[in-house]
Amino acid sequence: MKPSHAADHYVPTYFLASLGAGGLSVTFFMYLMFWVPHPGRSVPVFEDILAAWSTGALPMRIGIATAVLGIAVFVFLNLKSLIWNLNAYSAFKKTPRFESLRNSNAESTMLAMPLALAMAVNGLFIAGLVFVPGLWTVVEYLFPLAIIAFAAIGWIALSIIGDFLGRVLAKGGVFDVTAHNSFAQMLPAFALAMIGVGLAAPAAMSTQPWVVGTSLVLSTFFAVASLTYALLALVTAFNSMLHYGTHEEAGPTLLIVIPIVTILSILFMRQDHGLHVFEGHTDAAGTMMFLARMVSLQVIFLGLGLVVLKRQGYFKDFVFGSKTSPGSYALVCPGVALSVLLQFFVNKGLVSAGIIAKFGVTYWAVTALALGFQIAMIVLVFRLNSQHFARTDGADAVPAE
């Protein structure tokens, strides 16, 4: 049996396949988060879902069944892809290609590994909430473990970033500015944000001041680190793109700002919720305006990215055509991120502020956009998996610089 294209031409960017599947599990959790009542809790758990199933009408049951099945399928795909990537990455590190990658701009793609690890921990927590009875009774014991897990992943990420920046900043001439013509160098910021949002979860759900305080401080560090790195990478990359155009295979990275915005938005909302413990909290109108600004920022970068990708013919070549690039998986994250943040904007923004009625016509009209992005990304994931993981020969994959 022939090896798959991904196995033959492995690069760390393939961790984005695991990330995309994990992100899709979150889009299905949004059904439960905003459609299933969960009084007294910040998130729905097994008991809330069972109660809604027992008393809900047919539309509610269809929504719950779809969400539970979707979470099960994509958490499984997330973990399956993560395990495959970890094994492939371990073998890849023993090859000359790894040394070549570590001495190029593409060294930053190694951050896809801690990024995927952090997403997997988030996905497992969602699966626990949905499928494990009585989890909420012991959840306070799990929060310190979650903080330790994300802190460990954070240490891995910071170590990789330290090696990369130490190499390129210690002496000149080792970073190829002409190959910096994309947003590929935003990947470290993406990883830091994902770790930060995981660290912020205990702040939103715990009632223990020391847990909330620890969560707030650590998640703030990673949020600030992410924003700082993103700003520097964004400015320098845009300058390079103006000079040399956008690297064709790295075109999807122009959309990477979109998932970073979603992750940091959820991080800040989790922190804001945690401030209840310390008698501080933003009102509904403030949250609505915050989310409106974040969605607007996403739409701006969506427009920018799509204009460039269309001009390059990227979709024709790498999605619907015969060419393959591991960077194509970077297209999944923006669609997932838009779906998730639109759900928050509708429910935590427009509904909470009293602008629209929950489950009204306008509610479903805007929610339909979120569902549309979700469905498109599901199709895209299976399309890319068939391209990259089918047992067939193909051309070499080149990591985005």
Side-chain angles (χ1 to χ4, degrees), residues 234-254:
L234 192 70
V235 172
T236 55
F238 206 82
N239 180 62
S240 184
M241 285 188 290
L242 289 175
H243 280 84
Y244 308 108
T246 302
H247 188 289
E248 183 183 13
E249 280 201 57
T253 65
L254 296 181

Side-chain angles (χ1 to χ4, degrees), residues 36-217:
V36 171
H38 43 95
R41 281 185 280 263
S42 54
V43 291
V45 297
F46 176 85
E47 289 75 14
D48 298 316
I49 299 165
L50 184 61
W53 176 269
S54 300
T55 60
L58 181 60
M60 175 65 79
R61 290 192 173 194
I62 292 174
I64 291 174
T66 303
V68 170
L69 179 61
I71 290 169
V73 168
F74 285 103
V75 167
F76 171 77
L77 290 178
N78 166 242
L79 296 176
K80 178 184 177 183
S81 180
L82 178 64
I83 293 169
W84 180 89
N85 268 283
L86 289 172
N87 288 329
Y89 184 67
S90 178
F92 175 70
K93 289 174 70 174
K94 301 173 185 176
T95 67
R97 291 176 57 234
F98 176 71
E99 290 304 317
S100 176
L101 179 140
R102 287 200 65 184
N103 289 288
S104 70
N105 292 16
E107 183 180 6
S108 61
T109 63
M110 293 167 59
L111 269 297
M113 185 263 287
L115 172 60
L117 288 175
M119 181 71 255
V121 175
N122 284 317
L124 285 171
F125 189 74
I126 286 175
L129 293 174
V130 174
F131 296 110
V132 180
L135 184 69
W136 200 254
T137 61
V138 297
V139 75
E140 289 290 354
Y141 298 101
L142 299 178
F143 291 143
L145 298 178
I147 290 174
I148 292 171
F150 281 111
I153 297 171
W155 178 256
I156 295 172
L158 291 173
S159 297
I160 297 172
I161 292 172
D163 287 343
F164 175 62
L165 293 181
R167 179 177 66 83
V168 301
L169 296 179
K171 55 182 179 179
V174 297
F175 186 82
D176 187 357
V177 178
T178 64
H180 185 34
N181 53 336
S182 72
F183 288 169
Q185 295 301 326
M186 294 276 282
L187 190 60
F190 194 179
L192 293 171
M194 185 66 75
I195 294 163
V197 78
L199 284 167
M205 292 181 276
S206 178
T207 59
Q208 300 298 315
W210 75 270
V211 172
V212 174
T214 302
S215 173
L216 289 172
V217 171

Side-chain angles (χ1 to χ4, degrees), residues 343-363:
Q343 290 271 26
F344 273 95
F345 176 58
V346 170
N347 292 276
K348 293 293 187 181
L350 300 178
V351 172
S352 294
I355 296 175
I356 64 173
K358 189 163 188 175
F359 302 141
V361 174
T362 305
Y363 178 93

